[in-house]
Amino acid sequence: AYANINYFCNMGTLRQQRLDSLIQRELAKILQQNAREFTLGAMASVTKATITSDLSLVRVYVSVFAHAEPDNVIASLNDNKSQIRHLLVKAISNLRKMPELLFKLDDSLDYAEEIDSLLKK
């Protein structure tokens, strides 16, 4: 009777994965269209968006290119997150409540370069 119990357990994560990819895609468009305003003119790429299980918070990981101070770009994004969230609400209309946004610097590329350089030594 309970042979498909895993099917029901994965439903929450399946919805989260769909929301993750949808939010990531729409945020990428928003940041591309409003680069001057939100990212201080730097090229920013949304590398990952992860929504919490209660759908109240989205951690958005952003890679910053062509800017001397990537931390300032992330601070700018966090300062403007209410405006970004408003644009996201317009883009995604089928969510009952839009989760809060938290922008973080994605330094995985720097980490990979560091590992690569250590391996070459």
Side-chain angles (χ1 to χ4, degrees):
Y2 297 103
N4 290 331
I5 192 79
N6 287 335
Y7 174 76
F8 293 109
C9 293
N10 290 331
M11 286 303 287
T13 57
L14 183 63
R15 180 170 187 221
Q16 284 173 283
Q17 290 170 357
R18 285 184 181 159
L19 285 172
D20 288 347
S21 63
L22 177 65
I23 290 171
Q24 179 180 351
R25 193 171 43 244
E26 292 302 325
L27 276 174
K29 290 178 192 173
I30 289 169
L31 294 185
Q32 185 179 23
Q33 293 166 353
N34 303 292
R36 283 194 184 127
E37 186 179 351
F38 298 138
T39 62
L40 308 175
M43 191 173 99
S45 173
V46 179
T47 55
K48 187 177 182 183
T50 309
I51 195 164
T52 56
S53 59
D54 62 353
L55 308 179
S56 65
L57 176 72
V58 178
R59 288 182 191 88
V60 182
Y61 295 91
V62 179
S63 287
V64 179
F65 309 101
H67 200 275
E69 295 290 331
D71 292 330
N72 291 347
V73 175
I74 299 300
S76 172
L77 287 171
N78 280 314
D79 290 344
N80 292 305
K81 66 182 165 188
S82 62
Q83 291 173 308
I84 296 170
R85 189 170 175 239
H86 180 72
L87 292 171
L88 196 59
V89 167
K90 286 182 179 179
I92 305 172
S93 59
N94 59 352
L95 273 181
R96 229 179 301 153
K97 183 179 180 234
M98 182 57 65
E100 290 294 322
L101 300 173
L102 177 64
F103 292 95
K104 294 185 171 207
L105 183 62
D106 183 12
D107 54 0
S108 60
L109 291 176
D110 297 335
Y111 182 72
E113 285 178 17
E114 185 180 332
I115 296 292
D116 193 41
S117 68
L118 288 174
L119 290 173
K120 285 180 180 177
K121 285 184 179 178

